[in-house]
Amino acid sequence: MADLLGTGPSDQEETENEDKKKGKRSWDDTSRSGKISRTTDLPETLGFYDINAIRRDLNRNYPSLARFMCAELTRGYFLEHNEAKYTERRERVYTCMRIPRELEKLMVFGLFLCLDAFLYVFTLLPLRVLLALLRLLTLPCCGLSGSRLLQPAQVCDILKGLIMVLCYSMMHYVDYSMMYHLIRAQSVIKLYIIYNMLEVADRLFSSFGQDILDALYWTATEPKERKRDSLGVIPHFIMAVLYVFLHAILIMVQASTLNVAFNSHNKSLLTIMMSNNFVEIKGSVFKKFEKNNLFQMSNSDIKERFTNYVLLLIVCLRNMEQFSWNPDHLWVLLPDVLMVITSEVAVDVIKHAFITKFNEITANVYSEYRASLAFDLVSSRQKNACTDYSDSVARRMGFIPLPLAVLLIRVVMSSVKVEGALSYSCVFLFYLGLVTLKVLNSIVLLGTSCVYVKQANMEDKLFEKPPTPGPGKTPSKTKKTSRCHSSPTPSGTSSITSQPTPAPAPQAETADNHAPLPPDTPEQKEGDGIEGTELKHRNTKKDLLDVDRFTICGNRID
């Protein structure tokens, strides 16, 4: 009994302790572990803390997917905090939108300049040659009125006429049909490589060809009293004839390759040739360009586009001859012609748009390019002009009309048969039409050029006299000196249409001027050397009117 009474309370206490352990709150353990800290400001329910309030407080502090999505959907920003940056980006977009319009205005003006120089070979050059020959025939009757038998311009005209006649006679020995079938027998890959090589060779021929022609003109018209160090007129004339003949054959191969591409059944070669234009974008867009470099490339694009138009004309003439001048075949050729022209225009627009964007060049630069070309045209019409207009275009754009004219005459004479008095009458009327077109084109171009020169404020530069070499100085040294003494513009940046002003006349020497100057110290000499180096690098960025016309013929990108 005592045992039962003694063990009863202890069992009851053990039972109560176990019940307490089972009913122990789980947040007591968490509070001991330190994960959740008790706070006195939490609401109590029957003496216990609310666990839901603790969890809500934790959810506010820790990130979640819902909170991230809410922040992303409601996040804001203000563009006006970087207003200059976004304004510049908008101007770039507007510049890219203006490029096609400004570029095509320059292209159209340049194409008409090339057309004027090209028509000159067919229309006015034969008349000028006849006048020069008439002067030679009438010299025994009229006597010598001066020291020259012929004027320098007349000598150059006769040389051009002789080159045209000799090259046309030599082109008769080149069979166009045999060349066409020889090219057609090659594979597509070979023709693609040949066409690329021909484009490179055409640029090289244009670069060196105008130098050959200029050397011939100067050798033939150089004053006799001056000491001569040339080979003579005949060697230069032979070199000029060979150049024009070889360049004409090269253009004929280009036309034959394009004709093969037009007449291929699957048009694969034509597609490859057109895709080659887009490769040009890769080679030029990611290079650093300045205004003068972009001007050279623009002139090269004008020349290339005009040459392609003449090649398309030759291809159409040859195809129409093969189909007996059937007008229906012209509509077959028209889609391919439009594809070539469209791809050329698209490539030029994309190329110039991205070049101006990457180099931060404004679209107004193309109006300055037009003004520079217009200045060449207007200055060549003056009495003291130093070159013919067609030669000026050849040097500026690399477009030499003589080889292209020889080839076109050869193709037209072989495609069109002239027989009978009626046919010759039609040829004469066609010649009168070309003369009329040439005169009208020249009048419109001259008027437009005067407007461009006036808008660019370049009228005073037309009446500036070229610097004359002093005694004991060569012309090249005087030329370099005049460039070095060019005055900077007030704005501190050289305008693209500005021209160096002539150096001021030296003042009268006084007694102080005759005083000997102290010798330069090594530091001064070193400074002069650095200054000369800086001036040399600075002269590479010449203004458009200051750039020598003879250095642009090759369309080089410095």
Side-chain angles (χ1 to χ4, degrees), residues 237-248:
F237 181 75
I238 294 174
M239 286 191 294
V241 172
L242 288 177
Y243 155 70
V244 174
F245 175 67
L246 294 177
H247 199 176

Side-chain angles (χ1 to χ4, degrees), residues 181-328:
H181 290 288
L182 183 64
I183 294 175
R184 190 173 184 177
Q186 307 300 321
S187 62
V188 175
I189 300 300
K190 284 185 179 180
L191 292 179
Y192 174 70
I193 297 174
I194 290 173
Y195 192 78
N196 290 336
M197 293 173 60
L198 291 175
E199 285 188 347
V200 176
D202 180 59
R203 294 200 176 193
L204 296 178
F205 268 78
S206 299
S207 175
F208 192 61
Q210 189 60 37
D211 295 339
I212 293 176
L213 295 177
D214 288 332
L216 171 64
Y217 301 152
W218 174 240
T219 305
T221 59
E222 189 177 6
K224 296 180 180 179
E225 61 270 10
R226 187 171 299 176
K227 181 181 177 180
R228 298 195 175 193
D229 54 354
S230 61
L231 299 176
V233 179
I234 295 179
H236 281 282
F237 181 75
I238 294 174
M239 286 191 294
V241 172
L242 288 177
Y243 155 70
V244 174
F245 175 67
L246 294 177
H247 199 176
I249 291 180
L250 187 142
I251 300 175
M252 178 182 285
V253 176
Q254 276 186 299
S256 302
T257 308
L258 191 61
N259 197 4
V260 170
F262 269 67
N263 294 330
S264 60
H265 298 290
N266 52 3
K267 306 293 181 181
S268 59
L269 178 59
L270 186 61
T271 305
I272 293 175
M273 290 167 60
M274 294 306 101
S275 65
N276 188 40
N277 292 332
F278 291 91
V279 179
E280 184 181 354
I281 298 177
K282 177 184 176 182
S284 57
V285 163
F286 301 104
K287 292 182 180 179
K288 181 176 177 56
F289 278 84
E290 296 180 358
K291 287 186 176 181
N292 291 333
N293 303 126
L294 184 59
F295 184 46
Q296 296 178 22
M297 193 181 69
S298 301
N299 292 331
S300 176
D301 293 337
I302 294 172
K303 175 252 180 183
E304 182 180 357
R305 190 178 293 190
F306 184 82
T307 304
N308 288 337
Y309 291 163
V310 177
L311 291 178
L312 290 175
L313 177 61
I314 293 174
V315 169
C316 292
L317 288 176
R318 295 297 301 176
N319 279 275
M320 293 297 291
E321 180 200 2
Q322 296 298 324
F323 287 89
S324 302
W325 299 96
N326 186 7
D328 297 334

